[in-house]
Amino acid sequence: MNSHAVNMISRLLRDQASFALRFTLASWWLLAGCGGGGGAAGPSSTTPELSAINISLSRPALYVGQQATAAAQGRDQFKNEFSIGVPAWSTAAAAIATVSTSGVVTGVSPGQTTVFASFGGKQGQYEFKVLPVPVASVVISPSAPSLTAGATRQLTATVLTDSGRVLTDRIVFWASLDPTKASVSSSGLVTALSPGTVTITATCDGIVAPVVVTIPGAAGSVSTVTITPAIASVQVGSTTPLTVILRDVAGNILTGRTVTWTASVVTGASNAVSVSSTGIVTGGSVGVATIEALSEGQRGTAVITVTPAVDPGIVVTFAEPTPDATVGDTLDIVVGATPHGTIVSAIAEAGSLQIPLELIYIGMSAQPLWVGHLNVADLKNGPYVLTVTATDASGARGIGTLPFVRDVKFGKAGSSPAPKQKTLIPAKRPGIKP
């Protein structure tokens, strides 16, 4: 190969290398300019930004007229907490619930709605229910009306909450337990039909109130039949005596008259209750029955509730707080039951007020234990009794009670101190190992 050819080949190789270098540099520059290289880039994608707003409510549901506090918490794109200022609050239906600028939600009427919190272009929401205020009692007036056959009398039913507030938005259903003696209209107007006594009831939201109407009869004959007690309970397998009092139109007590006793089961099996010819009631199975005493065409009634038998071998015990403990908004208890295998349930009772208590099984080697938290925020000040029932596999039950006092002036952060667990000694029960 001559020298001219060698020079041409060398120049060609240099030109190709220069082009490759220029192409490589241009590609790197384009990638860097588009953010694909290692040069200067825009703002870092790891900077926290507000991504969502979570809302919580101090109560899962509200009664009409009750208030709860809503709280808003920001979250960034990494699900971490993100501090925000005061959000703009609103609700989906102001007719059901309203919310203030500070997040205080007020129940207005029964229903379901949503509270919203808006901030920085983001919005969070929380759906909740507004419930009717529970009926605690129904009071009928007059309390002991008396009217002659053919006459009428207007009865009035007042519906109350547990705090004594009158509820005016409830429907009351009236009924006569003996339409042959007296009838009652849907508005509570009683019409006397024949001499004797008859029980008129007013029912609202499952709460029943009775009143006895007296319709005098002729002198010397039985005018009224009264059973005492009018409301009683008896355990399965046990008995309780009822007493009947007969009076004439003048109120004189009559003796030597024939009385016929009958039992009618309202709820439960047909053998729930039986009654003897002398008024001795025997509990056969769990249920409710009406007992009637009939004399000379006049009737008296009593209501008997049959409860499960209490087994003394099933023992319910408590750790702290001790009886008569003063609590804030939450009563924390530890419940023990022997023998092993029992199931525990609890109801806080104060008159007609009943509040379920959720118990969580925590277990122990010597004795099973349950811990529970009773929300007493809606209870007014005063003494209450917590009733705990333990049931074993055979259906036998044991009962324990724990008195406590509600006082809003005590308790930190709306809660009573957590109880200290004490050593609970299992009860001895023949044939069963704890």
Side-chain angles (χ1 to χ4, degrees):
M1 184 181 296
N2 59 35
S3 60
H4 178 70
V6 171
N7 291 335
M8 289 182 64
I9 292 172
S10 299
R11 189 165 52 250
L12 178 60
L13 291 172
R14 287 196 301 271
D15 291 341
Q16 288 177 343
S18 177
F19 174 80
L21 177 61
R22 289 196 301 273
F23 178 81
T24 301
L25 291 173
S27 299
W28 177 86
W29 181 82
L30 288 172
L31 289 172
C34 295
S44 172
S45 61
T46 60
T47 303
E49 298 177 354
L50 179 62
S51 175
I53 298 176
N54 295 336
I55 300 178
S56 61
L57 207 60
S58 60
R59 302 178 187 273
L62 284 75
Y63 292 123
V64 173
Q66 194 176 44
Q67 292 186 328
T69 302
Q73 174 63 61
R75 296 283 176 181
D76 62 18
Q77 67 270 39
F78 307 108
K79 309 300 182 183
N80 297 320
E81 292 186 1
F82 188 93
S83 179
I84 62 175
V86 179
W89 293 98
S90 61
T91 59
I96 296 176
T98 60
V99 60
S100 69
T101 56
S102 59
V104 177
V105 180
T106 303
V108 177
S109 62
Q112 184 167 310
T113 187
T114 305
V115 60
F116 301 98
S118 302
F119 185 87
K122 304 294 181 181
Q123 186 181 71
Q125 64 183 46
Y126 184 92
E127 193 174 77
F128 63 98
K129 292 182 179 181
V130 178
L131 307 173
V133 178
V135 174
S137 62
V138 178
V139 179
I140 299 178
S141 61
S143 59
S146 177
L147 58 162
T148 58
T152 61
R153 187 71 176 272
Q154 179 66 52
L155 301 182
T156 302
T158 303
V159 182
L160 303 172
T161 67
D162 64 306
S163 62
R165 182 163 65 90
V166 177
L167 298 174
T168 59
D169 60 343
R170 304 304 164 91
I171 298 176
V172 176
F173 296 93
W174 295 90
S176 170
L177 299 188
D178 188 353
T180 64
K181 294 289 185 295
S183 63
V184 61
S185 71
S186 59
S187 62
L189 180 65
V190 176
T191 300
L193 300 176
S194 62
T197 59
V198 57
T199 299
I200 304 295
T201 61
T203 305
C204 181
D205 291 356
I207 304 299
V208 181
V211 63
V212 177
V213 176
T214 301
I215 306 168
S221 63
V222 175
S223 178
T224 63
V225 178
T226 304
I227 300 177
T228 57
I231 300 176
S233 63
V234 61
Q235 295 181 15
V236 172
S238 298
T239 62
T240 186
L242 298 180
T243 303
V244 64
I245 299 176
L246 309 179
R247 296 180 184 273
D248 63 13
V249 67
N252 301 313
I253 295 178
L254 303 176
T255 60
R257 308 301 170 95
T258 300
V259 177
T260 303
W261 294 87
T262 58
S264 301
V265 175
V266 179
T267 61
S270 59
N271 68 335
V273 170
S274 61
V275 60
S276 71
S277 59
T278 58
I280 304 297
V281 176
T282 302
S285 61
V286 175
V288 178
T290 299
I291 306 297
E292 283 191 347
L294 175 65
S295 181
E296 297 182 10
Q298 309 305 318
R299 287 183 174 85
T301 59
V303 177
I304 301 295
T305 301
V306 184
T307 60
V310 175
D311 187 339
I314 300 178
V315 180
V316 179
T317 51
F318 298 90
E320 292 185 352
T322 55
D324 297 327
T326 301
V327 297
D329 286 343
T330 304
L331 176 64
D332 300 322
I333 68 166
V334 174
V335 182
T338 55
H340 277 285
T342 55
I343 301 172
V344 171
S345 63
I347 292 291
E349 294 183 330
S352 61
L353 178 66
Q354 293 190 341
I355 302 177
L357 171 66
E358 179 180 359
L359 291 169
I360 301 174
Y361 180 76
I362 58 177
M364 289 289 285
S365 58
Q367 179 184 19
L369 294 177
W370 288 260
V371 62
H373 310 282
L374 179 67
N375 183 357
V376 297
D378 294 329
L379 299 184
K380 60 183 179 179
N381 286 359
Y384 296 90
V385 176
L386 179 69
T387 301
V388 177
T389 302
T391 306
D392 66 10
S394 69
R397 67 172 189 161
I399 295 178
T401 59
L402 175 68
F404 67 92
V405 175
R406 163 73 169 143
D407 194 327
V408 298
K409 294 185 292 183
F410 294 89
K412 297 180 180 180
S415 177
S416 60
K420 298 178 181 178
Q421 294 186 14
K422 294 181 177 179
T423 301
L424 302 178
I425 302 175
K428 294 181 179 180
R429 193 181 184 200
I432 298 180
K433 296 182 179 180

